[in-house]
């Protein structure tokens, strides 16, 4: 094992864990927020549009925390990559799976939360993807 492999493994672990921490942090913030947690950037979600703000925010928090898991896993696999190249390959597969199909699943799950908690007539105003 050479120094480049060690530095690469540490960097991939750091990147994966930082991404995981970012998404987990969004979930943590959502769980503690009193106003409704928005999902789409730049879209205002008014409190009167949401049926149950604490439940809505909690479901959003769980969604973000679950989304962070593959990034933490990829960070651990990245660190283990210094011992065997198979871990590095697994890290890439997990990271790509989290970013591409994972993002689509994240949006689909949020759409379910949105339909459950946001009044239908307000969805047309707040959600560009309805």
């Amino acid at each position: 094992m050479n120094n480049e492999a060690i530095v690469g493994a540490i960097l991939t672990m750091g990147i994966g864990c930082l991404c995981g921490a970012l998404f987990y942090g969004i979930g943590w913030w959502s769980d503690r927020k009193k106003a409704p947690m928005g999902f789409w950037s730049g879209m205002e979600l008014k409190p009167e549009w949401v049926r149950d703000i604490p439940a809505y925010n909690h479901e959003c928090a769980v969604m973000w925390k679950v989304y962070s898991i593959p990034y933490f896993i990829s960070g651990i696999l990245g660190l283990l990559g210094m011992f065997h190249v198979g871990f590095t390959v697994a890290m890439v597969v997990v990271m790509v799976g989290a970013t591409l199909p994972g993002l689509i699943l994240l949006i689909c799950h949020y759409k379910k939360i949105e339909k459950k908690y946001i009044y239908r007539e307000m969805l047309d105003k707040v959600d560009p993807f309805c």
Side-chain angles (χ1 to χ4, degrees):
M1 173 175 7
N2 60 23
N3 289 342
E4 289 178 8
I6 293 170
V7 170
I10 291 171
L11 283 174
T12 55
M13 180 204 62
I15 290 168
C17 289
L18 281 174
C19 289
L22 171 71
F23 295 125
Y24 191 89
I26 293 170
W28 178 83
W29 182 34
S30 178
D31 231 358
R32 281 147 185 78
K33 197 170 179 192
K34 301 295 181 210
M37 180 73 173
F39 184 79
W40 308 110
S41 176
M43 300 300 278
E44 181 184 6
L45 186 58
K46 296 182 180 178
E48 59 267 16
W49 294 355
V50 180
R51 289 184 178 93
D52 183 356
I53 294 172
Y56 166 81
N57 281 351
H58 179 70
E59 283 202 37
C60 286
V62 169
M63 173 189 70
W64 283 110
K65 289 175 182 178
V66 168
Y67 184 64
S68 74
I69 293 170
Y71 292 98
F72 285 119
I73 291 170
S74 70
I76 293 166
L77 290 171
L79 184 63
L80 293 174
M82 74 172 101
F83 301 112
H84 191 276
V85 72
F87 290 116
T88 304
V89 172
M91 181 273 306
V92 170
V93 169
V94 170
M95 185 69 81
V96 169
T99 54
L100 299 178
L103 187 59
I104 293 168
L105 290 172
L106 184 76
I107 291 169
C108 290
H109 187 75
Y110 177 73
K111 300 295 286 169
K112 290 177 186 176
I113 295 170
E114 196 175 60
K115 287 179 183 173
K116 185 176 178 181
Y117 290 103
I118 298 176
Y119 292 109
R120 182 69 207 158
E121 60 274 6
M122 299 304 159
L123 277 178
D124 296 331
K125 295 179 184 177
V126 72
D127 191 351
F129 300 105
C130 275

